[in-house]
């Protein structure tokens, strides 16, 4: 596995389960993935700790043979240019 680029988005605290949840985006070898991630922690937990835990848990899922719920984001294929039609006569 090559060096992955990680971005954590949409972090929020879930009162029902007492933890932080986020969508984590990973770009590995030019291919983008996204994972939902949850970390149990109190509301006043250190931000750096939460970020490290979310990153570690997501990397663990990404490296796993059975990653669970994940989305492989495919970039749209370039489409051929649409033909340019002359303007309609009025």
């Amino acid at each position: 596995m090559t060096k992955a680029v990680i971005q954590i988005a949409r972090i929020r605290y879930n009162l029902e389960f007492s933890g932080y949840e986020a969508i984590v985006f990973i770009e590995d070898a030019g291919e983008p993935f996204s994972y939902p991630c949850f970390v149990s922690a109190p509301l006043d937990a250190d931000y750096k700790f939460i970020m490290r835990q979310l990153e570690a848990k997501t990397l663990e899922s990404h490296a796993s043979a059975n990653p669970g719920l994940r989305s492989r984001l495919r970039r749209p294929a370039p489409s051929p240019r649409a033909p340019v039609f002359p303007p309609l006569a009025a």
Side-chain angles (χ1 to χ4, degrees):
M1 186 164 73
T2 61
K3 177 80 171 147
V5 177
I6 298 174
Q7 293 181 338
I8 301 174
R10 304 181 195 156
I11 300 172
R12 63 182 180 189
Y13 191 75
N14 186 323
L15 287 170
E16 183 179 357
F17 298 111
S18 300
Y20 290 87
E21 55 191 20
I23 301 294
V24 183
F25 298 96
I26 297 180
E27 187 168 327
D28 187 15
E31 194 169 354
F33 299 89
S34 68
Y35 294 87
C37 189
F38 178 82
V39 174
S40 295
L43 182 59
D44 60 349
D46 183 45
Y47 182 74
K48 289 181 183 178
F49 171 77
I50 298 300
M51 295 295 282
R52 283 193 306 264
Q53 292 296 318
L54 288 169
E55 184 177 321
K57 199 165 189 179
T58 304
L59 284 173
E60 182 180 314
S61 293
H62 185 66
S64 172
N66 187 12
L69 185 62
R70 80 170 168 191
S71 174
R72 176 176 277 158
L73 306 171
R74 299 187 195 273
R75 292 196 168 92
S79 61
R81 278 183 60 108
V84 177
F85 297 108
L88 297 174

